[in-house]
Amino acid sequence: MISKVVQIFTSNRHLHNFQEVNAYNLKNNSWRIIDCPRDGAQLISLGKFVNGKLHWATIVGLAMKRCWSITSFNWTDEKWRKVMRPYYGEEDGVLVLGALESHLSMICNNPTTHIDVWAMKEYGDKESWMKTFTINYTADPADYYLS
């Protein structure tokens, strides 16, 4: 049974990124702030619950100077950790996390040619990331309408 809920508040006012992570404990009926890593990384999208931990795609930097990574939060010891992602050769795509069967997975979207889907077969082992499949596509929207 789920006994905790996570809320992430993000503000980008005046070019200053601020992020606060709050946890609600259903048993105690109370909210509290959880210390969040202050390395400048921004938690992106919804957390994915895999292997007893919440995972987020994280990004550091802006526009052309951004770097994607994966951050996890362990409810047991309330520690934040980096999860090593595979080297997929492209830094300009968008990283989206998911769960494929019981494995942490990620979609790397190259904005012009294809989407790669990766799955971590042995949790915590960077070498176990496997490219599961690739979806090729054309970047020209006219190709979808003119057949």
Side-chain angles (χ1 to χ4, degrees):
M1 182 175 113
I2 296 173
S3 63
K4 295 180 182 177
V5 176
V6 175
Q7 172 194 35
I8 300 172
F9 173 75
T10 303
S11 174
N12 294 326
R13 294 187 124 189
H14 309 293
L15 299 177
H16 295 287
N17 288 335
F18 170 79
Q19 209 158 38
E20 180 177 283
V21 179
N22 298 299
Y24 179 73
N25 187 320
L26 294 169
K27 292 178 186 176
N28 300 342
N29 190 29
S30 63
W31 284 97
R32 67 185 178 86
I33 296 174
I34 296 177
D35 287 332
C36 188
R38 301 289 180 208
D39 58 3
Q42 182 112 15
L43 302 176
I44 305 295
S45 192
L46 299 173
K48 304 300 184 237
F49 191 73
V50 177
N51 200 46
K53 301 166 186 72
L54 277 170
H55 299 80
W56 289 270
T58 52
I59 190 166
V60 176
L62 299 170
M64 301 304 284
K65 298 282 186 184
R66 65 182 183 203
C67 180
W68 290 95
S69 63
I70 301 171
T71 299
S72 71
F73 180 75
N74 186 333
W75 280 111
T76 306
D77 60 9
E78 295 196 356
K79 299 281 185 194
W80 296 91
R81 292 183 176 84
K82 293 287 183 195
V83 175
M84 298 303 293
R85 63 174 178 77
Y87 174 74
Y88 49 86
E90 300 156 2
E91 289 295 326
D92 61 343
V94 175
L95 185 148
V96 178
L97 286 185
L100 186 59
E101 296 175 348
S102 62
H103 306 291
L104 182 64
S105 65
M106 63 177 246
I107 297 171
C108 178
N109 176 22
N110 179 307
T112 59
T113 60
H114 67 280
I115 294 171
D116 290 328
V117 178
W118 293 76
M120 182 185 268
K121 298 299 183 175
E122 295 293 326
Y123 186 83
D125 180 4
K126 178 184 178 184
E127 302 304 316
S128 75
W129 280 104
M130 303 284 291
K131 189 187 306 185
T132 308
F133 53 91
T134 297
I135 301 169
N136 294 310
Y137 61 88
T138 178
D140 186 358
D143 289 346
Y144 297 105
Y145 298 110
L146 304 173
S147 309

